[in-house]
Amino acid sequence: MSLSTQIMDEIKNAMRAKDTVALEALRSIKSELLLAQTASGSKEEITEDEEIKLLQRLVKTRKESAKIFTEQNRPDLAEPELAQVAVIEKFLPAQLSEAEVEAVIAKIIAETGASGIASMGKVMGLASAQLGGTAEGKTISTIVKKLLTQ
């Protein structure tokens, strides 16, 4: 089942349950999917990788907003953002733990023979491609820096 079909089903369920937070998050996903599809100008749906990147961007945006609201002592605005993050994350693949990400990156470094921070771009490219939507870019970057500077 495609992501857009899943989203439409979840929107219907959220409407029936009168879950406004979930409904808002699901509608934003639907909107972004439509924008991405029309931006490419094609009639076919976007790829699964593009869908994952889109969802990750939505999660990142909401987490950043919640962080700003928390820093400004506005928990009333931060809570709905975090609730929307939980709704959006249901559609993302399971995230790897830091230890699992570190193991994958260590293997990539060993295979490529990368050493020093100058090799970071090469390792980041391979790690991002291999880990796909299972780890955040920030987490990957932090671990790559740590392993290359040891």
Side-chain angles (χ1 to χ4, degrees):
M1 183 184 313
S2 73
L3 180 62
S4 56
T5 307
Q6 285 180 310
I7 297 297
M8 287 306 297
D9 291 344
E10 290 295 322
I11 286 175
K12 290 173 190 172
N13 293 338
M15 288 173 129
R16 287 186 195 114
K18 295 184 179 19
D19 186 351
T20 57
V21 174
L23 191 58
E24 188 176 337
L26 293 166
R27 284 182 173 160
S28 71
I29 295 171
K30 181 181 174 191
S31 171
E32 288 293 325
L33 285 171
L34 288 172
L35 285 172
Q37 188 175 349
T38 57
S40 66
S42 65
K43 297 288 183 203
E44 57 197 56
E45 295 201 12
I46 60 175
T47 65
E48 189 174 331
D49 288 342
E50 291 170 329
E51 290 174 346
I52 290 171
K53 287 178 184 173
L54 184 137
L55 292 172
Q56 286 178 325
R57 188 173 63 241
L58 290 172
V59 167
K60 181 181 176 188
T61 303
R62 289 193 174 47
K63 283 182 178 178
E64 288 172 353
S65 297
K67 180 181 175 199
I68 291 169
F69 291 141
T70 304
E71 288 171 356
Q72 294 175 349
N73 200 21
R74 294 294 309 265
D76 57 317
L77 297 175
E79 288 173 19
E81 293 290 329
L82 294 173
Q84 287 185 25
V85 166
V87 171
I88 297 169
E89 284 180 337
K90 288 183 204 173
F91 300 100
L92 284 170
Q95 299 292 299
L96 297 175
S97 70
E98 284 194 30
E100 293 169 320
V101 173
E102 191 168 334
V104 170
I105 293 172
K107 182 180 171 198
I108 291 170
I109 291 172
E111 288 173 356
T112 59
S115 63
I117 204 75
S119 307
M120 185 168 174
K122 179 176 159 184
V123 175
M124 278 295 297
L126 293 170
S128 295
Q130 190 170 343
L131 294 170
T134 58
E136 289 183 353
K138 185 176 182 180
T139 305
I140 295 171
S141 173
T142 305
I143 293 172
V144 168
K145 275 183 192 173
K146 183 179 94 174
L147 292 177
L148 287 176
T149 56
Q150 287 181 346

